[in-house]
Amino acid sequence: MPRYASPDQPLPPEPARAVKVFGANPIRAAIVRLLATNPEPMTTGEIEKALGGASHRTIFNHVRELEADGIVTSDARDDRNGQRVRYAADREAIRRELREYYRYLLGEPLTGDDAS
């Protein structure tokens, strides 16, 4: 099983079990939750301070991957050089991905499946 960095504050038992059962990354889950529950966008440095337990590089890499996947949005321009980028969760994108995963796990028709 892969070894992941964990947030300083452990997850409550129920979500911790779900993260373990489905092989999710605890830092990535904590980043998504933090951004989804924070009313204001955050920088990677602010995310790192809020979560602890992972290096800035680890947080930065996860946030950039989440942004590429459409789960996180940013106020960045195409040229980010020297720019202080603030990130926020796209709650609808999170819901959409969770719905698809739920359907997949339960063997239900997926959005892309033909319904005819």
Side-chain angles (χ1 to χ4, degrees):
M1 175 175 255
R3 300 208 51 195
Y4 297 120
S6 294
D8 282 344
Q9 295 295 322
L11 296 171
E14 295 81 6
R17 177 170 165 71
V19 164
K20 179 180 177 257
V21 165
F22 294 112
N25 184 305
I27 287 289
R28 188 170 290 213
I31 291 168
V32 170
R33 184 177 196 281
L34 176 65
L35 291 175
T37 57
N38 200 5
E40 297 295 324
M42 301 177 76
T43 66
T44 53
E46 292 168 335
I47 295 167
E48 177 188 7
K49 286 177 187 163
L51 296 180
S55 70
H56 183 78
R57 175 54 74 193
T58 297
I59 297 292
F60 177 79
N61 288 337
H62 282 299
V63 170
R64 289 296 299 267
E65 288 177 22
L66 289 164
E67 182 183 22
D69 291 335
I71 299 298
V72 167
T73 61
S74 76
D75 62 358
R77 302 181 312 260
D78 289 337
D79 174 19
R80 296 174 187 233
N81 194 12
Q83 184 180 3
R84 187 178 174 127
V85 180
R86 300 185 68 76
Y87 298 92
D90 181 335
R91 295 174 71 89
E92 188 50 42
I94 295 166
R95 286 184 186 98
R96 183 176 56 249
E97 295 300 330
L98 288 171
R99 276 192 305 267
E100 289 304 312
Y101 191 49
Y102 176 85
R103 288 176 178 152
Y104 172 76
L105 289 175
L106 297 180
E108 297 177 358
L110 304 176
T111 302
D113 291 347
D114 290 329
S116 50

